[in-house]
Amino acid sequence: MLFETTLKKVVDKLWGRHLHAKQRFVPPFICCSGQLTNTRIRNLHRTVECISCFDEVTLNKVLRAPCKHNYCSSCLAALVNQSIKDESCFPVRCCKKKVPTTRILKHLEDQDIKRNLSAKMHEYATPQSQRLYCPTKSCTTFLGAASSFRFQSVRCPACHKATCKWCRRPMHKGSPCAEDEATQELRRTAKSEGWQTCPGCKAVVQRLSGCNSIVCRCGVNFCYLCGMKMSKCRHGQCLRVNAR
Ligand SMILES: [Zn+2]
Ligand SMILES: [Zn+2]
Ligand SMILES: [Zn+2]
Ligand SMILES: [Zn+2]
Ligand SMILES: [Zn+2]
Ligand SMILES: [Zn+2]
């Protein structure tokens, strides 16, 4: 079967000749001894409006969201880039309806965005507490779910440095994870008392009363209810936390 673009050229040519001959009916176009339906030929020429930039785009180039809105490839790429940067925008939605990521992947033309999107799909499908990242500051590649690795040492596919899956720090061969007995004891107490851990410096923080938005000594602003950075938490900025 011919490629769509080649097909369009052929159809244009035949259509031109056909008009020239002033025939009354569209002749059937044959390719590989199969007759092309008029609908398929019409669809090659049909354009629809992109809901985002209002450009007219040919039907075979748009992604149609479940809400029936159409997106041109550059507007789709912009949406995808946003969802890659901000987990609350993932998966891509239009009119509050999720657009299946597998369908988006089929439509994207840019190979880099495609690769980033499938990587993020994997990352976001992993529970937050399980996500293991490369601790190298210039890298921070998502490595996978901590529990999915059989061995303590996990090698980063990007920078090739090894990470300890237990303490999430650079691999320390032959020595135990850096946390001492006192810190481990404190963490056990924190867990039973419901104290929170700062997502930035991992310090245990006990809040007696006040609002859930906490600024740690390391400068990280996090939510006392869920222990996530304020920018990622869905609790809103100011909920009262009752004194214990
Ligand atoms: Zn557009
Ligand atoms: Zn929509
Ligand atoms: Zn790395
Ligand atoms: Zn360790
Ligand atoms: Zn901190
Ligand atoms: Zn929260």
Side-chain angles (χ1 to χ4, degrees):
M1 190 55 78
L2 292 166
F3 289 116
E4 298 282 282
T5 43
T6 326
L7 177 64
K8 190 171 182 300
K9 270 186 213 146
V10 171
V11 169
D12 282 344
K13 213 175 203 172
L14 288 172
W15 183 245
R17 271 190 214 150
H18 159 70
L19 286 182
H20 191 71
K22 290 203 172 78
Q23 285 169 10
R24 280 189 67 188
F25 300 103
V26 179
F29 296 118
I30 311 283
C31 177
C32 307
S33 69
Q35 192 174 318
L36 296 171
T37 62
N38 285 343
T39 328
R40 192 161 165 224
I41 292 164
R42 263 200 302 276
N43 279 350
L44 285 173
H45 291 270
R46 233 183 100 191
T47 59
V48 285
E49 195 183 63
C50 168
I51 187 71
S52 183
C53 66
F54 309 119
D55 269 2
E56 286 289 327
V57 195
T58 47
L59 200 61
N60 60 337
K61 291 272 183 207
V62 297
L63 176 123
R64 176 161 276 212
C67 58
K68 304 236 165 20
H69 282 144
N70 297 303
Y71 284 89
C72 74
S73 51
S74 57
C75 290
L76 180 66
L79 268 184
V80 168
N81 276 331
Q82 197 188 357
S83 79
I84 286 173
K85 279 190 208 113
D86 182 357
E87 189 171 352
S88 64
C89 301
F90 188 92
V92 170
R93 289 182 189 84
C94 188
C95 303
K96 292 187 182 152
K97 284 185 182 153
K98 289 177 188 172
V99 185
T101 306
T102 42
R103 262 187 64 202
I104 295 177
L105 282 169
K106 274 187 207 146
H107 262 85
L108 285 174
E109 282 162 8
D110 190 307
Q111 292 302 317
D112 285 339
I113 302 180
K114 250 183 165 164
R115 210 174 308 117
N116 290 345
L117 179 61
S118 24
K120 278 291 164 189
M121 192 166 76
H122 176 45
E123 179 181 336
Y124 290 159
T126 308
Q128 211 149 24
S129 58
Q130 274 293 316
R131 292 177 201 168
L132 186 65
Y133 295 91
C134 174
T136 308
K137 280 223 167 67
S138 55
C139 181
T140 68
T141 298
F142 174 64
L143 302 174
S147 60
S148 69
F149 297 105
R150 214 172 133 210
F151 300 106
Q152 181 191 6
S153 172
V154 179
R155 196 159 291 280
C156 171
C159 71
H160 307 293
K161 290 197 178 110
T163 302
C164 166
K165 77 161 182 171
W166 304 119
C167 64
R168 292 153 192 257
R169 281 185 254 195
M171 189 55 199
H172 41 86
K173 245 193 195 132
S175 58
C177 291
E179 279 190 353
D180 54 6
E181 203 36 55
T183 313
Q184 285 172 26
E185 179 58 37
L186 179 64
R187 291 213 189 282
R188 276 193 287 275
T189 315
K191 205 170 180 187
S192 62
E193 293 291 325
W195 298 339
Q196 219 23 289
T197 304
C198 165
C201 65
K202 305 280 179 264
V204 171
V205 179
Q206 182 193 4
R207 186 73 164 170
L208 294 176
S209 65
C211 112
N212 64 316
S213 169
I214 295 212
V215 180
C216 177
R217 55 173 187 190
C218 71
V220 165
N221 182 203
F222 71 95
C223 169
Y224 193 69
L225 296 177
C226 60
M228 287 202 257
K229 284 190 181 162
M230 222 53 210
S231 55
K232 293 215 163 164
C233 135
R234 280 153 223 222
H235 284 109
Q237 278 295 324
C238 200
L239 288 166
R240 301 297 296 183
V241 176
N242 292 329
R244 294 179 66 96

